[in-house]
């Protein structure tokens, strides 16, 4: 098989794309207009059937050999739910009459139409066809929006992989690396620092860098370091720190560099601690013995190499900061323009458009708004780091939920939903993050409801049992708070428990329930930032109960 083009089948709008691309591939293969139409109609019939029962179908179009050995045009629809189809369904029977062959396999349906005998397939023709279809303009604005969404997902995957590689790289380097905010709170630390400090990564991230350095070095004062930060300029100095046993003193070269955004504001400080203890000992020996001069030169060379390494790492940090800035601004511009231009077109020319044209414009606007929502949720998610230190305070739960219901006022009013706090209390956490957490949970409870049912959301604070803590993998010797969010929604099969908290994972199609597939991933990240856990119990058409476990002190 030689695949010319392929794409996913997400909803009914993709049927038009499948029909159009089938016609174009058939035309490229020299098939006449009548047979083009028959082939495209057969493909549309099968795609429509798969969309009704499939899980995540995709379609591949190209050229292959038929059983008789003749060159053929083919369309292959792939999906794991194909074994559940009835081979004698009217759609498959009708489609089989329109093509040369229809084959039903374990995970795919293949339609073939023989090409004219004069048509010869060559490597050049296949390569040219693949390039041609890669460069084809979108058939509809929806296809353009879909293409941009795929690019956005790919970018998110690349960013996650880049972060993982950066962590592996920094852990493998023979130096201590870290980032702190302007108040000295640790944001990141590699294995070199955690090993030297004799602390876990979680303990390091709960510490303050100013206090830690001052506590390990009797000659470095905390106020001096804070004053250096206030100047906002890169600096370096030699400092002597005691080891994890607080016995031996070791010399290090400290280098600190501010990381700025596009407006030149300092986002954080990137720091390195490179051991120069051997160099210091050699310098002492050189004062007593000139024969060690060569060793000093070698150390100077090593120092130069380390300086170059630090410069490279500084550049890498600056590039990552610039990338985050571009992602937070420029990615939203194309989607905003689609919204603005489509709204202008509606206002100025709506009276000239037929109902079908008005409907298409409405779909463009809906897809654009969803894209902006995806970008916004992605940026929210990227700003949340499970290792990030959060400021916590004691929060009145009733006041918190009141603020959430005000944010969801329009959604609650339109659905007639009731939000009830069965048992309130005081919770410990970051108010901004917990507001976002329960805003997402309550919004889902109101949105995912059976038609004709009034949403009812019940919230309750309880002290978890030892068994519940064991199931969630939490330390029973610590004090915990459990917050349950129970609804009467559509629920879901608990077979999908591992799926619902992942990025871009949806259990329902966009036309049934709108969303970005990121909300619950944000909820999980916020709970992890509080060093807690989130779980859920649910059943189809029986509602769901999300349980949030947070440290109580």
């Amino acid at each position: 098989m030689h695949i010319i083009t392929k794409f996913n089948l997400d909803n009914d709008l993709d049927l038009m794309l499948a029909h159009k691309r089938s016609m174009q591939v058939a035309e490229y293969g020299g098939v006449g207009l009548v047979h083009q139409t028959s082939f495209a109609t057969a493909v549309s019939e099968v795609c429509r059937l798969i969309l009704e029962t499939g899980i995540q179908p995709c379609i591949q179009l190209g050229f292959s050999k038929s059983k008789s050995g003749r060159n053929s045009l083919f369309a292959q629809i792939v999906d794991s739910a194909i074994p559940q189809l009835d081979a004698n369904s009217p759609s498959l029977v009708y489609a089989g009459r329109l093509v040369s062959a229809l084959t039903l396999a374990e995970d795919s349906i293949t339609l073939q139409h023989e090409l004219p005998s004069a048509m010869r397939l060559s490597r050049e023709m296949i390569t040219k066809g693949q390039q041609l279809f890669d460069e084809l303009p979108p058939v509809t604005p929806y296809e353009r929006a879909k293409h941009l969404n795929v690019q956005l997902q790919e970018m998110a995957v690349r960013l996650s992989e880049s972060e993982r590689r950066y962590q592996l790289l920094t852990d493998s380097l023979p130096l201590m690396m870290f980032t702190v905010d302007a108040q000295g709170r640790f944001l990141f630390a590699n294995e070199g620092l955690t090993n030297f400090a004799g602390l876990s990564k979680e303990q390091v991230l709960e510490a303050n860098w100013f206090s830690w350095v001052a506590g390990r070095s009797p000659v470095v004062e905390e106020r001096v370091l804070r004053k250096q930060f206030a100047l906002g300029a890169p600096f370096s100095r030699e400092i002597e720190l005691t080891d994890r046993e607080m016995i031996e003193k070791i010399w290090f070269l400290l280098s600190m560099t501010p990381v700025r955004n596009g407006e030149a504001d300092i986002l954080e400080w990137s720091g390195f601690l490179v051991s120069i203890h051997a160099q210091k000992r050699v310098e002492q020996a050189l004062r007593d013995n000139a024969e060690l001069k060569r060793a000093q030169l070698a150390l100077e060379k090593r120092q130069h190499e380390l300086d170059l390494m630090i410069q490279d790492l500084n550049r890498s940090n600056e590039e990552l900061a610039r990338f985050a800035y571009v992602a937070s601004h420029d990615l939203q511009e194309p989607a905003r323009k689609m919204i603005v231009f489509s709204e202008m077109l509606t206002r100025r020319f709506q009276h000239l458009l037929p109902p079908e044209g008005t409907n298409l414009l409405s779909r463009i606007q809906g897809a654009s708004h969803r894209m902006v929502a995806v970008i916004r949720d992605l940026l929210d998610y990227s700003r949340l780091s499970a290792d990030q230190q959060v400021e916590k305070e004691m929060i009145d739960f009733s006041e918190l939920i009141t603020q959430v219901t005000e944010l969801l006022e329009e959604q609650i009013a339109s659905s007639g939903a009731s939000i009830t706090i069965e048992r309130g209390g005081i919770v410990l956490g970051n108010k901004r993050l917990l507001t976002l957490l329960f805003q997402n949970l309550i919004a889902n409870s109101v949105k995912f409801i059976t038609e004709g049912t009034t949403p009812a959301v019940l919230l309750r604070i309880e002290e978890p049992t030892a068994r519940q803590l064991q199931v969630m993998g939490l330390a029973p010797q610590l004090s915990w708070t459990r917050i349950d969010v129970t609804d009467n929604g559509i629920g879901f099969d608990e077979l999908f428990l591992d799926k619902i908290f992942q990025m871009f994972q949806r259990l329902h199609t966009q036309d049934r329930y709108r969303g970005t597939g990121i909300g619950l991933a944000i909820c999980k990240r916020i709970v992890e930032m509080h060093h807690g856990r989130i779980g859920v119990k649910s059943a189809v058409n029986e509602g769901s109960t999300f349980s949030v476990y947070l440290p109580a002190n």
Side-chain angles (χ1 to χ4, degrees), residues 1 13 22 54 93 136 152 177 196 205 220 236 266 311 320 387 400 411 444 462 467 485 529 533 536:
M1 285 186 176
L13 291 176
S22 299
V93 172
L136 277 179
L152 186 62
M177 293 181 56
F196 180 80
L205 294 177
V220 177
S236 62
I266 295 178
Q311 292 175 13
L320 286 174
D387 295 331
L400 180 71
Q411 188 176 349
N444 281 353
E462 289 188 343
R467 173 60 181 166
V485 181
M529 292 174 68
R533 296 283 191 278
V536 59

Side-chain angles (χ1 to χ4, degrees), residues 301-317:
K301 180 182 178 181
R302 174 62 175 162
Q303 183 65 49
H304 178 68
E305 293 173 351
L306 288 173
D307 289 341
L308 293 177
M309 183 185 302
I310 290 173
Q311 292 175 13
D312 289 340
L313 288 171
N314 283 336
R315 281 195 296 271
S316 176
N317 281 339

Side-chain angles (χ1 to χ4, degrees), residues 82 86 234 311 432 446-447 451 453 470 550:
I82 286 179
D86 181 6
Q311 292 175 13
R432 179 182 66 84
V446 174
K447 176 170 61 176
E451 186 174 354
T453 302
Q470 181 182 6
L550 298 175

Side-chain angles (χ1 to χ4, degrees), residues 439-456:
Q439 181 181 348
N440 275 290
L441 291 178
I442 294 175
N444 281 353
S445 296
V446 174
K447 176 170 61 176
F448 294 100
I449 196 74
T450 305
E451 186 174 354
T453 302
T454 301

Side-chain angles (χ1 to χ4, degrees), residues 325-456:
Y325 177 76
V326 171
S328 65
H329 294 80
D330 295 352
L331 281 180
Q332 299 187 58
E333 186 61 23
R336 289 196 184 106
K337 285 186 176 179
M338 290 173 64
I339 294 173
V340 171
F341 290 149
S342 59
E343 288 177 350
M344 290 174 60
L345 187 60
T346 301
R347 288 196 305 268
R348 297 181 182 180
F349 304 106
Q350 186 174 15
H351 63 286
L352 301 176
L353 293 174
E356 183 181 1
T358 303
N359 181 47
L360 288 174
L361 273 177
S362 176
R363 292 185 178 184
I364 291 174
Q365 293 173 359
S368 301
H369 282 292
R370 287 196 298 274
M371 181 177 295
V372 170
V374 169
I375 295 173
R376 184 184 61 248
D377 286 351
L378 266 178
L379 292 173
D380 286 343
Y381 185 83
S382 67
R383 293 190 186 104
L384 301 175
S385 170
D387 295 331
Q388 181 179 339
Q389 181 73 13
V390 297
E391 295 184 359
K392 300 178 183 178
E393 59 180 303
M394 305 306 293
I395 303 169
D396 186 296
F397 186 67
S398 298
E399 293 181 1
L400 180 71
I401 298 304
T402 299
Q403 184 176 348
V404 171
T405 54
E406 290 175 355
L407 293 172
L408 298 173
E409 182 178 3
E410 181 178 352
Q411 188 176 349
I412 293 173
S414 63
S415 63
S418 63
I419 312 298
T420 305
I421 301 177
E422 186 177 77
R423 177 183 294 175
I426 303 298
V427 295
L428 176 66
N430 182 281
K431 190 170 184 179
R432 179 182 66 84
L433 295 178
L434 292 186
T435 299
L436 182 59
L437 167 66
F438 289 103
Q439 181 181 348
N440 275 290
L441 291 178
I442 294 175
N444 281 353
S445 296
V446 174
K447 176 170 61 176
F448 294 100
I449 196 74
T450 305
E451 186 174 354
T453 302
T454 301

Side-chain angles (χ1 to χ4, degrees), residues 50-77:
I50 292 297
L51 274 175
E52 294 174 356
T53 59
I55 298 175
Q56 196 171 7
C58 70
I59 181 172
Q60 303 175 152
L61 296 165
F63 302 103
S64 64
K65 293 284 187 181
S66 66
K67 290 184 178 180
S68 62
R70 290 189 57 180
N71 294 328
S72 298
L73 169 70
F74 84 89
Q76 188 175 67
I77 297 89

Side-chain angles (χ1 to χ4, degrees), residues 445 448-450 453-454 456-458 485-494 508 513 536-546:
S445 296
F448 294 100
I449 196 74
T450 305
T453 302
T454 301
V457 184
L458 185 67
V485 181
T486 304
D487 61 48
N488 62 338
I490 60 176
F492 62 90
D493 193 329
E494 291 190 354
H508 308 281
Y513 300 100
V536 59
K537 291 184 178 295
S538 184
V540 177
N541 296 324
E542 293 183 14
S544 304
T545 296
F546 284 84

